Amino acid sequence: MSPYLKTITPEEALSILMDVFQPWYYDRKETVETLNALGRVTASPIFALRSVPHYHAAAMDGIALKAEKTFGASEKTPVRLLLGKEAFWIDTGDPLPEGTNAVVPLEEVNQEGEWVELIKAAYPWQHVRLAGEDVIKGEMLFTSNHRLRGEDLALLVASGVKFVQVKSKPRVIFIPTGDEIRDPFLDLAPGEAPEFNSVLIGSMVEEIGGVFKKIGPVKDDPSELRKTLEKVYKEADLILINAGSSTGRGDFTKMVIDENGRVLFHGISVMPGRPTLGGEYKGKPVLGLPGYPISAFVAFKLLAEPFLSAMLGQIPSKPPVIKAILAEDIPSRLGIYEFVRLKVFKSKGNFVAHPLPRGASVLSSIIKAEGLLKIPLQSEGLAEGREVEVELLVNPEVVERTLLIVGSHDLSIDIMADRLKKTYPPIFLITKNT
Amino acid sequence: MSPYLKTITPEEALSILMDVFQPWYYDRKETVETLNALGRVTASPIFALRSVPHYHAAAMDGIALKAEKTFGASEKTPVRLLLGKEAFWIDTGDPLPEGTNAVVPLEEVNQEGEWVELIKAAYPWQHVRLAGEDVIKGEMLFTSNHRLRGEDLALLVASGVKFVQVKSKPRVIFIPTGDEIRDPFLDLAPGEAPEFNSVLIGSMVEEIGGVFKKIGPVKDDPSELRKTLEKVYKEADLILINAGSSTGRGDFTKMVIDENGRVLFHGISVMPGRPTLGGEYKGKPVLGLPGYPISAFVAFKLLAEPFLSAMLGQIPSKPPVIKAILAEDIPSRLGIYEFVRLKVFKSKGNFVAHPLPRGASVLSSIIKAEGLLKIPLQSEGLAEGREVEVELLVNPEVVERTLLIVGSHDLSIDIMADRLKKTYPPIFLITKNT
């Protein structure tokens, strides 16, 4: 009785997208200055242009000498070397003078006028930082598909690499649709809706390393959507159409994609997030994301995030997971993979999880949540007291330090929470209203 | 016999800095557009300017009516309502018409000309998204000291909040010192050193949410350092002097701080990172960071990161931790808290950790490392085969998928690693050279 072509699991949907579009082979690239390359992904291997250090350097203050000349030195048979000819005062970081291969630390040297006296043999290359100890000129520093961190940039700079070839940021075009959609900062009449999903999705796109552009909003009119797609598809690596992917009267995404490409799947067995569509428009990947923010968030996380990450040769990082005890029963429908938002806190050494409102329209439920519980397809729900794995949406450290107050809404508690956060941020006070 | 005033633990050093400078009370602030506030930290509580939704909205397609008029409806006693007067066709998201308080879904309605017939009572507010279901106008959305995520911005936008008051980014001034320090992209003579610690430290500062500025390099000359500090201290929330905090002939940080402020500690019991200095220069916090990159990295992580985070009311997030088996003995000195870089991979279901070179000068050791092992003060080392807790420096998912090759350096393996990363990024090939 599903109005969708055929509902499939999110794993199947992702695997269809990966097979059809092969995002691992995405290869638009550009050259940027190393100093501007933080977070970018290498498009080719990078080789060192200079050894680090680029010369044999003293690793201590002392004298530089040829170790072989000290062999046999002892208290009874000290070795004497002429300063400026056989032995040279040297500071940490100085280059070793020609013909020397070791450094004897300050405190082991007796100076007598022009001479130094040693009562212990030095071994070759002692207290020397050899040229290339850190990096050897010509060495491969990074392979392709490496996301550059601050320390990586420092190593590149140390190795004399001023420019790097990186993958161009995948271009994500986001098209909000709907007659009721308005600029969010206008005064809105009843029936008008502020457009804010672009903010949610846009920040996730940029976090992954893509570049985000909003086009629209577009009215609930197939010809307008058709025109917009025709205008933007060439400049997109991924097109997201927001709302209109369901099966209601104003939902034209399927129709428009069918005309100029093909629908690959329509409907995924996830709640929230079910009315999600995947397709191809003139060779470009298109996702129809549901209109409700939590549904759009879940569909993006399940499909768009791994897809964009693959373009950049990356795997999305897994969120930290903790084990928590459910404080309430959570019923769930068989055959649906469900995302439940939770408040999580610590009580008597255990984490305890309280489910938040499950409506797909309630954006604040994801903001108030510390954790996410995924109820698998084949489960009919989870009972109070059961231990579950919770993906954290916040710094684990925060959960450890959180004080939860459950009860009816009381503004004075908000004010207390603000005071506490202002004067002593290491303790968090949160509330769950009943 | 330590040349330092008195070596203290990093915990003691941090607690001195926190006591003297009270970074929790940092309160420079500014107003920014919500759309530009990703990652910024609120400086005051933020209140909703609009309810979300701002009107009672239909949550399904169907007819809107007054629930009370359907009471008693059954198959035997259906209720008939006049369309356009008592019942109104409505789509999801539409405002409820005046005088109605419930929605009956399409499939439960029989239309007969001007009339609809209902055989089941509706209950008040069924299938209605109540005004304020998500957010109530005037509600406190976020307390002070909340770091704004993408979903938070979406909620602010939905609630009509166009501007937010955020903490100004703490200004970190970084002063590299040393006669040998040069622009890293020049051709360098032996004895000249490329400046690259600013790249390492700068990206960490920006990651935390600070703004980074490099001044210099400054020569090994106390009067130059004095002049530079005098010029910049007013515009700094934290001053980092790089190198010159040790006790050698060219190390003037302590002297210059002593003249115009006070040294709070000199030397911390950490390796690498020991020659670290903390002080006050005309009321501003100053850290002298060691010159070797790994030492500077460790000292920054231990002291500057929590200090800057506190200014923003945040706690640094803990890296993910795994348990791994040591593949080699790691000796360590009693009384020193030591950071060892490790290569980590999975073998027969267990994580195995190989120590990397321990020199403080070898920046590549932190780049090649997947993990960090902290050997506590009171340990003389750890034995091969022992299980240890390793802080991961990479996405845990990467470690799960890593193939380690140990042996002498072979360029063809680098090329294989690059090929693999290019054509099938989900598997990682890494090498440890012996």
Side-chain angles (χ1 to χ4, degrees):
Chain A
M1 282 298 295
S2 165
Y4 301 103
L5 283 180
K6 179 175 169 278
T7 300
I8 60 175
T9 68
E11 291 78 12
E12 287 167 331
L14 180 61
S15 128
I16 291 172
L17 290 174
M18 299 296 258
D19 283 353
V20 172
F21 299 105
Q22 304 277 329
W24 298 123
Y25 291 96
Y26 170 79
D27 66 352
R28 290 198 313 117
K29 50 187 117 175
E30 63 198 64
T31 296
V32 299
E33 285 201 49
T34 303
L35 290 175
N36 296 328
L38 187 64
R40 301 300 294 270
V41 171
T42 55
S44 52
I46 310 184
F47 300 93
L49 301 181
R50 168 169 69 211
S51 293
V52 182
H54 57 286
Y55 59 92
H56 298 325
M60 295 199 85
D61 298 346
I63 57 164
L65 45 71
K66 194 172 171 70
E68 289 78 357
K69 293 195 173 164
T70 66
F71 287 0
S74 72
E75 295 219 19
K76 282 186 183 158
T77 60
V79 167
R80 286 164 61 96
L81 299 175
L82 184 58
L83 274 168
K85 250 196 132 172
E86 298 170 298
F88 307 85
W89 289 113
I90 198 167
D91 285 341
T92 306
D94 285 347
L96 287 200
E98 185 79 35
T100 66
N101 65 359
V103 173
V104 175
L106 219 53
E107 52 274 23
E108 296 176 15
V109 178
N110 291 320
Q111 186 177 355
E112 294 184 355
E114 296 295 285
W115 299 85
V116 288
E117 199 180 72
L118 300 163
I119 55 167
K120 212 178 91 183
Y123 55 91
W125 307 112
Q126 76 171 28
H127 303 306
V128 173
R129 255 198 99 195
L130 287 173
E133 178 191 65
D134 200 350
V135 170
I136 295 166
K137 184 177 170 171
E139 157 179 5
M140 189 189 293
L141 294 175
F142 301 104
T143 65
S144 306
N145 279 328
H146 177 79
R147 187 188 284 273
L148 294 165
R149 303 160 296 174
E151 53 268 39
D152 299 335
L153 300 189
L155 191 71
L156 288 168
V157 164
S159 317
V161 178
K162 194 170 181 179
F163 298 95
V164 287
Q165 198 178 46
V166 295
K167 287 191 161 182
S168 298
K169 296 183 173 193
R171 298 159 303 178
V172 177
I173 302 267
F174 183 86
I175 307 173
T177 70
D179 292 339
E180 73 285 14
I181 301 299
R182 296 285 179 281
D183 177 329
F185 301 120
L186 294 179
D187 273 339
L188 302 179
E192 295 180 337
E195 198 293 295
F196 56 84
N197 281 347
S198 59
V199 182
L200 181 68
I201 302 294
S203 62
M204 289 196 279
V205 166
E206 276 160 20
E207 171 85 359
I208 296 166
V211 47
F212 182 84
K213 194 171 177 184
K214 178 174 94 173
I215 303 284
V218 165
K219 296 254 173 252
D220 284 328
D221 170 350
S223 75
E224 264 217 57
L225 181 58
R226 212 176 283 129
K227 244 188 290 175
T228 305
L229 278 172
E230 194 51 36
K231 209 170 62 191
V232 302
Y233 83 94
K234 282 185 191 145
E235 280 161 35
D237 297 304
L238 175 63
I239 300 165
L240 303 176
I241 302 174
N242 192 217
S245 64
S246 190
T247 55
R249 278 181 288 166
D251 295 325
F252 302 111
T253 304
K254 180 176 179 303
M255 181 180 124
V256 172
I257 300 299
D258 262 338
E259 288 166 6
N260 286 280
R262 52 185 172 139
V263 171
L264 297 165
F265 55 86
H266 191 197
I268 55 175
S269 48
V270 165
M271 207 165 81
R274 197 174 188 211
T276 296
L277 175 147
E280 181 197 323
Y281 181 92
K282 301 193 175 177
K284 298 293 178 117
V286 181
L287 285 175
L289 300 180
Y292 279 139
I294 305 289
S295 316
F297 177 86
V298 168
F300 183 92
K301 277 276 179 194
L302 289 173
L303 302 178
E305 179 170 302
F307 189 83
L308 287 169
S309 296
M311 283 187 179
L312 293 169
Q314 307 295 305
I315 301 170
S317 42
K318 279 189 188 162
V321 170
I322 56 165
K323 287 186 196 297
I325 308 294
L326 279 185
E328 294 172 25
D329 288 342
I330 307 185
S332 178
R333 227 169 72 205
L334 208 65
I336 282 276
Y337 181 49
E338 194 174 0
F339 284 73
V340 180
R341 283 84 75 197
L342 304 163
K343 293 222 74 75
V344 183
F345 68 107
K346 210 165 187 175
S347 164
K348 297 175 194 149
N350 288 316
F351 289 110
V352 178
H354 278 268
L356 280 160
R358 287 155 89 182
S361 56
V362 183
L363 178 58
S364 58
S365 69
I366 202 100
I367 277 121
K368 289 179 183 153
E370 282 83 38
L372 214 52
L373 171 67
K374 292 177 179 171
I375 303 182
L377 284 176
Q378 63 284 9
S379 165
E380 289 189 80
L382 300 163
E384 180 187 330
R386 171 151 176 188
E387 190 181 73
V388 290
E389 293 213 328
V390 175
E391 289 189 359
L392 288 182
L393 295 165
V394 298
N395 179 346
E397 187 73 353
V398 169
V399 179
E400 293 270 351
R401 295 161 180 260
T402 291
L403 175 66
L404 176 69
I405 297 183
V406 180
S408 60
H409 192 209
D410 185 334
L411 284 173
S412 60
I413 306 253
D414 286 349
I415 292 166
M416 275 170 54
D418 180 63
R419 278 285 102 187
L420 189 60
K421 197 88 173 96
K422 212 168 216 159
T423 52
Y424 194 63
I427 297 290
F428 300 89
L429 191 157
I430 60 172
T431 57
K432 183 188 175 238
N433 305 323
T434 51
Chain B
M1 281 300 292
S2 163
Y4 302 101
L5 284 180
K6 179 173 169 279
T7 299
I8 60 173
T9 67
E11 290 79 12
E12 286 166 333
L14 180 60
S15 126
I16 290 172
L17 290 173
M18 299 295 259
D19 283 353
V20 172
F21 299 105
Q22 304 275 331
W24 297 123
Y25 291 96
Y26 170 80
D27 67 352
R28 290 199 312 114
K29 51 188 116 174
E30 63 199 61
T31 295
V32 299
E33 286 201 48
T34 303
L35 290 174
N36 296 327
L38 188 64
R40 301 300 295 272
V41 171
T42 54
S44 52
I46 309 185
F47 300 92
L49 300 181
R50 169 170 67 211
S51 292
V52 182
H54 57 287
Y55 59 94
H56 298 324
M60 296 199 85
D61 296 346
I63 58 165
L65 44 71
K66 194 173 173 72
E68 288 76 358
K69 292 195 174 165
T70 66
F71 288 179
S74 71
E75 295 216 22
K76 282 185 186 162
T77 59
V79 167
R80 287 164 62 94
L81 299 174
L82 183 59
L83 273 169
K85 262 213 120 145
E86 298 169 297
F88 307 85
W89 289 112
I90 198 167
D91 285 341
T92 306
D94 285 347
L96 288 201
E98 185 81 32
T100 67
N101 66 1
V103 173
V104 175
L106 217 52
E107 53 272 27
E108 296 177 18
V109 179
N110 291 318
Q111 187 178 353
E112 294 184 355
E114 297 293 287
W115 299 85
V116 288
E117 199 180 72
L118 300 163
I119 55 168
K120 212 177 93 183
Y123 55 90
W125 307 112
Q126 75 171 30
H127 304 306
V128 172
R129 259 199 95 198
L130 287 172
E133 177 191 65
D134 200 350
V135 170
I136 295 168
K137 183 175 172 174
E139 161 179 0
M140 190 189 292
L141 295 174
F142 301 104
T143 64
S144 306
N145 278 327
H146 177 79
R147 187 187 284 272
L148 294 164
R149 303 161 296 173
E151 55 268 38
D152 299 337
L153 300 189
L155 190 72
L156 288 168
V157 163
S159 317
V161 178
K162 194 170 183 179
F163 298 96
V164 286
Q165 197 178 46
V166 295
K167 288 191 159 182
S168 298
K169 296 182 173 195
R171 297 158 304 178
V172 177
I173 302 267
F174 183 85
I175 307 173
T177 70
D179 293 338
E180 74 285 13
I181 300 301
R182 295 285 179 283
D183 177 328
F185 301 120
L186 294 178
D187 274 339
L188 302 178
E192 296 181 337
E195 198 292 295
F196 56 84
N197 280 348
S198 58
V199 182
L200 180 67
I201 302 294
S203 61
M204 288 195 281
V205 167
E206 277 160 18
E207 171 84 1
I208 297 166
V211 46
F212 182 83
K213 193 172 179 183
K214 178 174 94 171
I215 303 284
V218 165
K219 296 253 174 252
D220 283 328
D221 171 347
S223 75
E224 264 217 54
L225 181 57
R226 211 176 284 129
K227 243 188 289 174
T228 305
L229 278 173
E230 193 52 34
K231 209 170 60 190
V232 301
Y233 82 94
K234 282 182 192 149
E235 282 160 35
D237 297 304
L238 174 64
I239 300 165
L240 303 175
I241 302 174
N242 192 216
S245 63
S246 190
T247 55
R249 277 182 290 166
D251 296 322
F252 301 112
T253 303
K254 180 176 177 305
M255 182 181 123
V256 172
I257 300 300
D258 263 338
E259 289 167 7
N260 287 281
R262 53 185 173 140
V263 171
L264 297 164
F265 55 86
H266 191 197
I268 55 175
S269 47
V270 165
M271 207 164 82
R274 196 173 189 211
T276 296
L277 175 147
E280 180 196 325
Y281 181 91
K282 301 194 174 176
K284 297 292 177 122
V286 181
L287 285 175
L289 300 180
Y292 279 139
I294 307 288
S295 317
F297 177 85
V298 168
F300 184 91
K301 278 275 178 196
L302 290 173
L303 302 178
E305 178 169 301
F307 189 83
L308 286 169
S309 296
M311 282 186 180
L312 292 169
Q314 306 295 305
I315 301 169
S317 40
K318 278 188 187 163
V321 170
I322 55 166
K323 286 185 195 299
I325 308 293
L326 279 186
E328 292 172 27
D329 287 342
I330 307 184
S332 178
R333 229 170 71 209
L334 208 65
I336 282 278
Y337 181 51
E338 194 174 358
F339 283 74
V340 181
R341 282 83 74 198
L342 305 163
K343 293 220 75 74
V344 183
F345 67 109
K346 209 163 188 177
S347 167
K348 298 175 193 147
N350 288 317
F351 289 110
V352 178
H354 279 268
L356 280 160
R358 286 156 88 183
S361 57
V362 183
L363 178 58
S364 57
S365 69
I366 200 103
I367 277 123
K368 289 177 182 154
E370 282 83 38
L372 214 53
L373 171 66
K374 293 176 178 172
I375 304 182
L377 284 175
Q378 63 283 11
S379 165
E380 288 189 81
L382 300 164
E384 180 187 331
R386 170 150 177 189
E387 191 182 72
V388 291
E389 293 213 328
V390 175
E391 288 189 0
L392 288 181
L393 296 166
V394 298
N395 178 344
E397 187 72 354
V398 169
V399 179
E400 293 269 353
R401 295 161 180 260
T402 290
L403 174 66
L404 176 69
I405 297 183
V406 180
S408 59
H409 191 207
D410 185 335
L411 283 174
S412 59
I413 307 252
D414 286 349
I415 293 166
M416 274 170 52
D418 181 61
R419 277 286 102 187
L420 190 59
K421 198 88 171 93
K422 212 168 216 158
T423 52
Y424 193 63
I427 298 291
F428 301 89
L429 192 157
I430 59 172
T431 57
K432 183 186 176 238
N433 305 323
T434 51

